[in-house]
Amino acid sequence: AQRFVADGVDGWKDAVSHLRRLYDAVGDAPIEEGSIGEHAGRTLTALEELGDVIASLHVLLSREELEVELAPEQAEHSDLKSWGESARDALHRLVARGVDGIDDLVPAIESRIDLLEGLPDAGLKTRIHGDLHLGQVMRVPRGWLVTDFEGEPARPLEERRAKHSPLKDAAGMVRSFAYAATAALFERGAPGESEWRRLEPWARAWEEAARDRFLAAYLRTSHEGHFLPADRDAINVLLHFFEIDKALYEIGYELSHRPAWVGVPLHGISRALEREGP
């Protein structure tokens, strides 16, 4: 049995529809400071509210009084090692497949994995959504709903039920912002064409603004649950790692299904490697 939600809008469709309107509205105007806020203020505010909702979900899942299968646990070095090894395996498989552009990123990706595995405190691991992106949330008149808590369907049930860092969910959502911005771009033309080149700066600016607003709200509210590391640098290490890990998965998916889209996760890895803050 499932509950029917009246007047709900799929988060992915809502974001892409907004981006279509944004690309129509900007015309040939160059991006200036504050331009994205002027054109996308309402949508960015909604994504900030989404960050608060996802953090509140994680606060709920981090309650100590939950039964054993749900109660939070300290993320141990063995957990970090396991997460890092999984990412390394994915990276090496992509190198073996000869993905164009991945070889140059290997040393920096390995360095980020080393940072993860060396963290003295990675916060708590809890049950998480496990497959969080814009297609798993709905905008309704009273706010946001989160749906489909089954995790990634292709993974074994035991793996989907395993406790993990809540930042894995946050990373999945911000990667979805990159995909929404690019999906609307692909409707206008192919990479390198004049229309793509004209609108790409707006797409990237929207992605960064959406990311910043979502994470600002998420990090603000998540402190109520005390599941993140106390050190902000450690939070950044975890977040950037999970963004890279998600993008490595996306590259493999795109190679098999949409080769023209491989540049989207490759760009995401490059951006994550450049970041110092959240």
Side-chain angles (χ1 to χ4, degrees), residues 132 166-176 239 242-243 246:
L132 192 64
L167 286 171
K168 183 179 176 69
D169 276 349
M173 183 58 73
V174 297
R175 288 296 309 135
S176 189
L239 180 62
F242 287 124
E243 287 184 77
K246 180 68 171 180

Side-chain angles (χ1 to χ4, degrees), residues 253-270:
Y253 177 88
E254 302 301 0
L255 285 171
S256 299
H257 298 88
R258 301 181 296 190
W261 287 61
V262 169
V264 179
L266 277 172
H267 177 79
I269 291 175
S270 296

Side-chain angles (χ1 to χ4, degrees), residues 84-266:
E85 288 176 353
S86 177
R88 280 197 173 91
D89 289 344
L91 175 61
H92 295 159
R93 286 195 298 270
L94 295 176
V95 170
R97 293 178 71 172
V99 176
D100 188 31
I102 196 70
D103 285 348
D104 293 339
L105 299 176
V106 169
I109 294 173
E110 292 275 11
S111 178
R112 290 297 179 125
I113 296 173
D114 290 341
L115 285 175
L116 171 85
E117 294 176 344
L119 283 177
D121 175 21
L124 302 181
K125 59 179 183 178
T126 69
R127 290 286 285 272
I128 63 173
H129 184 282
D131 188 25
L132 192 64
H133 52 77
L134 283 167
Q136 305 283 40
V137 295
M138 295 180 65
R139 282 187 70 179
V140 296
R142 67 178 183 274
W144 288 96
L145 291 179
V146 186
T147 65
D148 293 347
F149 284 81
E150 64 179 1
E152 294 183 355
R155 297 185 184 276
L157 182 59
E158 182 179 356
E159 190 172 337
R160 284 186 269 163
R161 288 169 57 88
K163 296 172 185 177
H164 217 300
S165 169
L167 286 171
K168 183 179 176 69
D169 276 349
M173 183 58 73
V174 297
R175 288 296 309 135
S176 189
F177 299 159
Y179 266 83
T182 305
L185 268 184
F186 268 109
E187 295 178 351
R188 305 302 178 105
E193 294 181 353
S194 59
E195 188 72 351
W196 181 285
R197 294 196 305 270
R198 182 177 70 83
L199 292 173
E200 187 175 24
W202 287 95
R204 298 299 158 238
W206 181 88
E207 176 193 341
E208 286 298 307
R211 184 183 190 281
D212 289 347
R213 294 284 288 270
F214 173 86
L215 288 175
Y218 178 85
L219 293 174
R220 182 172 62 243
T221 301
S222 62
H223 287 294
E224 298 174 10
H226 307 290
F227 53 81
L228 295 181
D231 182 67
R232 190 59 174 262
D233 289 340
I235 293 174
N236 292 337
V237 168
L238 284 161
L239 180 62
H240 299 159
F241 165 77
F242 287 124
E243 287 184 77
I244 291 168
D245 186 48
K246 180 68 171 180
L248 291 172
Y249 167 81
E250 292 165 354
I251 292 173
Y253 177 88
E254 302 301 0
L255 285 171
S256 299
H257 298 88
R258 301 181 296 190
W261 287 61
V262 169
V264 179
L266 277 172

Side-chain angles (χ1 to χ4, degrees), residues 21-39:
R21 295 191 297 271
L22 171 66
Y23 296 163
D24 286 337
V26 298
D28 294 323
I31 290 187
E32 298 176 355
E33 186 174 351
S35 294
I36 282 294
E38 293 175 9
H39 288 282

